[in-house]
């Protein structure tokens, strides 16, 4: 199916095709400017297909090996990201990484060769995020501030590569914005309106302007390449989009994200195709599935309310951009250089902050930097305005209610070095350390992790929601490859909190046992699902329970190619019993009947195929051939002439259409020659 168009008949994979053609054509090798183009612009993915073709031609082994290798890299990169999010806490990191590696929903993206677009986009997506993490950290330290540009532009380059591998990869820029504003700098919501204007947000604006500029450039380029016109899809591809009822479209589109989330939560029923009303339209508010929609969006709103409440508690004094000198011990201020210190007391007690310094350095007086401390992490009881219990650098910090954080060690910066003060109970002792690259994580509580996880879950899925434009599918399992990262982080966070709340070792073991069972179940389902993808027959049979018309129609093609004519005819008619207007199935049934010499039945099947799809050139061509065999020469000539005049505008496979038109002209010329009409034949051949 997709493998044939994307690889076997895609001229962009051939060494004789100029490399620049990859950047002018869509994923299937059709020019983007053609009205029938799918507008799927993924040159980076096609480039990897071309590399596979250069190594081994059309041998599928190399293509599958590359997919598995990319999935392994993506799993490793996501595990690294999870380690940063959970401050290298072993249990949640392993839960997130293993769940992502073994989740059954990823089978289509990894086992299906064309799913490489999603896997590759995810890998660049992760690299973009981690490079941006490093950019934020290096921006925090004057000693390394100049190096931040390397990581910033590496991040933006990865974002562009992610989009050029799969369209929704561009949403990584929005994820970075969420991380920058709400997680790294922890901006209070009431401060958002001041960000474009106040000088203290200068370093924040630097990152946001680069992200916004890159996003506008990439989206503008994308719209320009696709001719500022969205692609056209068949009604069967997205039945809700073709509905005339606003109520039906709204209720169905609201339900589809719920169904996708259910596939992440319980991947029991999976299918290679979800079109043709495999998910029936919701036409009434009384449909019971609306209850699931209400519960889903109610939960999201509850999370949003909790997060907003948490962000509203943040006061200006606890912001990443402000440290009050009244909360800093005098001994700290006395040891700070007026030109190089993090904060210098002024007349009104406010901190004067370097515009290149952010959360870590501006709150350096309340962070622990003692390398001899053992890293410990416990869940924050309340991620409130004053961070009553938060974590940084793996050390526990407790607020006294004034915004002043106490710890076993407090640190200040002086002349580019970190000075740690250890309270031994009797006096303040200072120790100097050689400066080291920053390693701090900005995730200091459940609210930060939930925010980041929801950003990963929701933002990459938005292009598939039909919110801004209609898409050519109902549900596509491979589209969930990137959003599943947010789901895995949420599950890992839940396991971590549940595990830490257990007081006895027995209960902790029960939690770990439950996680082990979950991983075994998910892995087993993935193995079984990979068995479905081992052959086309297995794949189509596995989809019968979800999408019977499409599954039976494709299964019949396999049976027919094997010579199992009776079984194939039964499968074709079974598919038509579910959906009578499938032109492809009518055409393929006609081919089967024609091969058996049942010409009148084949002719009837071709006519029905043309009735449901008037520009199905192959049906016209074969109908002309059958009429010729039956001796109905005039009718055959008329069919050939009509076929040769069919327009290819808006068709998904214009190359096949043009090839069929040429075949129709050739057969028309041969028909004239057989009748002795040589001048007409020569004209047609020309």
């Amino acid at each position: 199916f997709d493998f044939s168009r994307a690889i076997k008949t895609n001229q962009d994979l051939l060494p004789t095709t100029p490399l620049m053609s990859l950047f002018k054509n869509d994923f299937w090798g059709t020019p983007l400017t053609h009205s029938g183009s799918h507008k799927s612009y993924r040159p980076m993915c096609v480039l990897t297909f071309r590399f596979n073709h250069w190594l081994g031609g059309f041998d599928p082994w190399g293509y599958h090996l590359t997919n598995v290798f990319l999935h392994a890299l993506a799993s490793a990169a996501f595990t690294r990201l999870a380690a940063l999010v959970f401050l290298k806490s072993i249990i949640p990191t392993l839960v997130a990484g293993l769940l992502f590696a073994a989740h059954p929903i990823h089978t289509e993206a990894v086992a299906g060769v064309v799913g490489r677009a999603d896997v590759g986009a995810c890998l660049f997506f992760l690299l973009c995020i981690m490079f941006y993490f490093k950019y934020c950290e290096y921006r925090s330290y004057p000693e390394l501030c100049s190096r931040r540009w390397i990581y910033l532009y590496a991040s933006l380059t990865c974002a562009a590569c992610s989009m050029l591998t799969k369209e929704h990869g561009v949403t990584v820029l929005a994820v970075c914005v969420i991380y920058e504003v709400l997680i790294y700098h922890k901006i209070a919501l009431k401060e958002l309106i001041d960000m474009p204007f106040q000088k203290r947000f200068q370093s924040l604006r630097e990152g946001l302007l680069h992200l916004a500029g890159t996003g506008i450039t990439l989206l503008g380029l994308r719209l320009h390449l696709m001719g500022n016109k969205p692609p056209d899809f068949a009604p069967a591809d997205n039945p809700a989009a073709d509905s005339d009822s606003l109520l039906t479209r709204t209720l169905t589109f609201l339900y589809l994200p719920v169904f996708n989330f259910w596939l992440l939560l319980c991947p029991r029923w999976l299918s290679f195709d979800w079109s043709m009303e495999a998910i029936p339209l919701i036409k009434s508010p009384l449909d019971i599935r609306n209850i699931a929609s209400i519960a889903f969006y109610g939960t999201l709103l509850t999370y949003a309310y909790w997060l907003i409440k948490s962000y509203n508690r943040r006061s200006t004094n606890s912001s990443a951009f402000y440290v009050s000198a009244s909360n800093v011990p005098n001994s700290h201020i006395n040891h700070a250089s007026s030109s190089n210190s993090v904060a210098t007391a002024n007349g009104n007690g406010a901190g004067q902050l370097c515009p290149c310094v952010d959360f870590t350095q501006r709150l350096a007086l309340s962070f622990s930097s003692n390398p001899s401390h053992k890293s410990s992490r416990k869940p924050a009881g309340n991620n409130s305005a004053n961070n009553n219990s938060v974590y940084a650098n793996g050390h526990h910090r407790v607020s006294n209610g004034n915004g002043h954080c106490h710890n076993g060690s407090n640190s200040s910066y002086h002349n580019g070095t970190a000075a740690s003060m250890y309270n031994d109970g009797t006096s303040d002792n200072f120790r100097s350390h050689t400066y080291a690259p920053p390693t701090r994580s900005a995730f200091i509580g459940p609210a930060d992790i939930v925010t980041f996880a929801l950003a990963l879950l929701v933002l990459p899925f938005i292009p598939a929601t039909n919110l801004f434009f209609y898409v050519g599918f109902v549900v596509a399992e491979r589209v969930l490859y990137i959003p599943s990262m947010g789901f895995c982080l949420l599950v890992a966070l839940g396991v971590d909190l549940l595990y830490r709340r257990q007081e006895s070792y027995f209960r902790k073991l029960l939690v770990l046992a439950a996680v082990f069972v979950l991983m075994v179940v998910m892995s087993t389902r993935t193995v079984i699902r990979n068995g479905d993808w081992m052959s086309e027959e297995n794949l189509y049979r596995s989809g019968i329970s979800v999408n019977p018309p499409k599954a039976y129609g494709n299964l019949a093609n396999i049976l027919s190619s094997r010579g199992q004519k009776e079984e194939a005819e039964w499968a074709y008619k079974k598919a038509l019993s579910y959906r009578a207007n499938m032109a492809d199935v009518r055409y393929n049934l006609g081919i089967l009947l024609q091969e058996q010499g049942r010409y009148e039945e084949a002719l009837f099947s071709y006519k029905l195929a043309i009735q449901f799809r008037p520009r199905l050139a192959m049906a016209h061509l074969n109908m002309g051939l059958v009429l010729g065999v039956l001796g109905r020469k005039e009718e055959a000539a008329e069919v050939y002439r009509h076929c040769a005049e069919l327009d290819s505008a808006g068709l998904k496979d214009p190359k096949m259409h043009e090839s069929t038109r040429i075949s129709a002209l050739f057969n028309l010329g041969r028909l004239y020659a057989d009748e002795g009409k040589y001048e007409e034949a020569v004209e047609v051949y020309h």
Side-chain angles (χ1 to χ4, degrees):
F1 46 120
D2 288 344
F3 178 85
S4 178
R5 287 186 59 208
I7 297 176
K8 294 180 69 175
T9 62
N10 191 344
Q11 298 296 313
D12 290 341
L13 270 64
L14 302 180
T16 55
T17 303
L19 278 175
M20 286 305 299
S21 296
L22 274 66
F23 297 91
K24 298 178 181 179
N25 299 336
D26 64 15
F27 188 55
W28 320 101
T30 304
L32 282 167
T33 54
H34 191 277
S35 58
S37 171
H38 202 276
K39 310 295 184 182
S40 300
Y41 187 61
R42 306 164 191 173
M44 293 292 292
C45 182
V46 178
L47 192 62
T48 65
F49 289 153
R50 183 161 176 152
F51 176 73
N52 278 130
H53 184 272
W54 176 71
L55 289 178
F58 292 117
D59 183 357
W61 188 86
Y63 294 85
H64 288 294
L65 177 64
T66 303
N67 273 28
V68 174
F69 176 70
L70 290 175
H71 177 59
L73 288 180
S75 299
F78 176 69
T79 304
R80 171 60 179 163
L81 177 66
L84 295 175
V85 171
F86 293 108
L87 303 179
K88 298 184 180 180
S89 184
I90 297 297
I91 291 178
T93 299
L94 285 179
V95 170
L98 291 175
L99 183 58
F100 180 82
H103 202 295
I105 203 69
H106 296 160
T107 307
E108 180 178 351
V110 181
V113 175
V114 295
R116 182 180 302 178
D118 296 89
V119 181
C122 181
L123 184 56
F124 284 119
F125 197 101
L126 288 165
L127 291 175
C128 174
I129 291 175
M130 289 190 284
F131 278 133
Y132 200 81
F133 281 11
K134 298 300 291 184
Y135 159 71
C136 291
E137 291 178 358
Y138 274 71
R139 189 180 58 193
S140 307
Y141 296 84
E143 294 81 358
L144 300 176
C145 198
S146 60
R147 301 184 191 177
R148 71 191 189 278
W149 300 112
I150 298 175
Y151 293 101
L152 175 60
Y153 289 114
S155 176
L156 299 180
T157 300
C158 287
C161 290
S162 183
M163 191 198 77
L164 294 176
T165 307
K166 185 70 180 284
E167 292 80 3
H168 63 310
V170 72
T171 58
V172 69
L173 297 171
V175 174
C176 290
V177 170
I178 296 295
Y179 172 79
E180 174 85 84
V181 176
L182 298 180
I183 300 173
Y184 192 81
H185 284 106
K186 299 183 173 15
I187 301 297
L189 294 182
K190 60 185 178 182
E191 293 181 304
L192 292 177
I193 194 173
D194 297 326
M195 280 197 307
F197 312 108
Q198 295 191 8
K199 186 176 181 179
R200 61 194 176 104
F201 296 111
Q202 179 178 346
S203 63
L204 174 60
R205 288 197 296 269
E206 176 186 282
L208 295 184
L209 287 175
H210 277 83
L211 292 172
T214 302
I216 293 172
T217 301
L218 291 176
L219 291 176
L221 177 64
R222 183 72 174 81
L223 290 173
H224 172 72
L225 289 172
M226 66 187 294
N228 300 315
K229 181 182 179 181
D232 296 323
F233 301 108
D237 294 334
N238 191 346
D242 192 58
S243 174
D244 294 329
S245 171
L246 176 63
L247 178 65
T248 298
R249 293 198 305 271
T250 302
L251 294 179
T252 303
F253 287 151
L254 286 174
Y255 174 71
L256 290 180
V258 183
F259 187 84
N260 278 274
F261 185 78
W262 177 251
L263 289 180
L264 288 173
L265 194 63
C266 181
R268 170 64 181 85
W269 292 276
L270 300 175
S271 175
F272 69 97
D273 191 286
W274 293 86
S275 62
M276 300 182 178
E277 296 189 21
I279 301 176
L281 301 180
I282 300 180
K283 301 179 180 180
S284 168
L286 300 180
D287 193 305
I288 193 171
R289 289 173 292 174
N290 291 320
I291 298 177
S293 299
I294 294 172
F296 177 77
Y297 293 106
T299 302
L300 281 182
L301 290 175
T302 301
Y303 268 117
Y305 172 77
W306 174 64
L307 292 173
I308 291 173
K309 189 176 180 182
S310 176
Y311 296 145
N312 281 333
R313 290 193 187 116
R314 294 173 177 171
S315 65
T316 302
N317 289 346
S318 65
S319 170
F321 296 93
Y322 187 95
V323 177
S324 174
S326 63
N327 289 330
V328 180
N330 292 331
S331 59
H332 287 237
I333 299 176
N334 293 335
H335 286 82
S337 168
S338 61
S339 59
N340 297 320
S341 61
V342 175
T344 303
N346 61 11
N348 58 13
Q352 301 299 318
L353 304 179
C354 167
C356 196
V357 180
D358 76 336
F359 187 54
T360 306
Q361 198 165 358
R362 294 170 186 182
L363 294 184
L365 297 176
S366 61
F367 279 143
S368 168
S369 62
N370 181 5
S372 65
H373 282 191
K374 294 183 178 180
S375 175
S376 62
R377 180 181 182 274
K378 298 178 182 179
N382 182 14
N383 187 24
S384 63
N386 295 320
N387 290 324
N388 294 331
S389 179
V390 292
Y391 302 86
N393 287 334
H395 305 289
H396 191 193
R397 299 192 291 116
V398 182
S399 175
N400 65 358
N402 296 322
H404 181 198
C405 298
H406 293 284
N407 194 357
S409 64
N410 297 310
S411 64
S412 63
Y413 285 78
H414 179 68
N415 292 330
T417 62
S420 293
M421 183 186 73
Y422 301 91
N423 189 346
D424 61 1
T426 59
S427 63
D428 293 340
N429 300 316
F430 291 86
R431 181 181 303 172
S432 296
H433 296 279
T434 302
Y435 188 82
T439 58
R440 180 188 62 79
S441 173
F443 296 90
I444 60 173
D448 287 338
I449 298 175
V450 170
T451 299
F452 187 69
L454 287 178
L456 285 176
L457 178 64
V458 174
L459 294 177
F461 186 74
I462 287 178
T465 60
N466 296 276
L467 181 63
F468 298 108
F469 49 83
Y470 292 139
V471 295
F473 57 87
V474 179
V475 172
E477 294 165 17
R478 55 180 178 264
V479 171
L480 295 174
Y481 191 89
I482 293 179
S484 67
M485 294 190 293
F487 173 80
C488 293
L489 289 179
L490 289 175
V491 172
L493 176 62
V495 170
D496 187 39
L497 294 176
L498 183 63
Y499 176 82
R500 294 178 182 277
R501 288 178 180 176
Q502 308 309 314
E503 298 180 356
S504 66
Y505 285 107
F506 177 73
R507 291 187 175 183
K508 290 179 181 290
L509 286 175
L510 285 180
V511 174
L512 294 179
V515 172
F516 177 77
V517 171
L518 172 65
M519 295 303 171
V520 170
V521 170
M522 288 293 189
S523 300
T524 302
R525 180 70 181 107
T526 299
V527 171
I528 294 173
R529 185 60 180 160
N530 271 275
D532 294 337
W533 278 85
M534 288 297 290
S535 70
E536 286 185 294
E537 182 177 356
N538 289 349
L539 185 63
Y540 299 142
R541 289 189 183 277
S542 69
I544 289 176
S545 60
V546 174
N547 191 347
K550 192 67 172 284
Y552 277 121
N554 288 337
L555 178 61
N557 294 337
I558 301 300
L559 297 174
S560 178
S561 65
R562 292 180 180 174
Q564 299 173 251
K565 304 300 183 182
E566 292 184 5
E567 295 90 336
E569 183 177 351
W570 174 86
Y572 282 132
K573 292 180 177 179
K574 187 71 173 178
L576 293 171
S577 69
Y578 286 97
R579 193 177 182 89
N581 63 346
M582 292 192 294
D584 287 333
V585 176
R586 294 283 184 186
Y587 164 74
N588 289 325
L589 177 59
I591 291 288
L592 178 67
L593 297 171
Q594 183 179 345
E595 290 174 348
Q596 295 177 343
R598 298 157 64 181
Y599 297 118
E600 291 293 344
E601 294 177 75
L603 189 62
F604 178 72
S605 189
Y606 290 141
K607 287 181 179 180
L608 287 177
I610 293 171
Q611 175 183 331
F612 295 122
R613 193 184 302 173
R615 288 192 295 163
L616 184 56
M618 291 295 295
H620 287 277
L621 176 62
N622 281 274
M623 185 168 69
L625 293 173
V626 170
L627 289 171
V629 171
L630 294 175
R632 297 156 65 174
K633 305 294 184 180
E634 290 297 328
E635 294 180 60
E638 180 61 31
V639 170
Y640 287 141
R641 282 193 291 267
H642 180 68
C643 180
E645 295 172 356
L646 291 175
D647 184 19
S648 64
L651 298 180
K652 289 184 178 180
D653 196 350
K655 293 179 181 179
M656 177 63 72
H657 182 83
E658 294 300 328
S659 176
T660 304
R661 291 177 58 190
I662 294 171
S663 296
L665 287 171
F666 171 78
N667 282 282
L668 177 60
R670 189 175 63 177
L671 185 63
Y672 284 149
D674 290 342
E675 294 180 347
K677 301 178 180 179
Y678 299 115
E679 291 184 2
E680 290 89 338
V682 170
E683 182 180 354
V684 170
Y685 286 144
H686 277 303

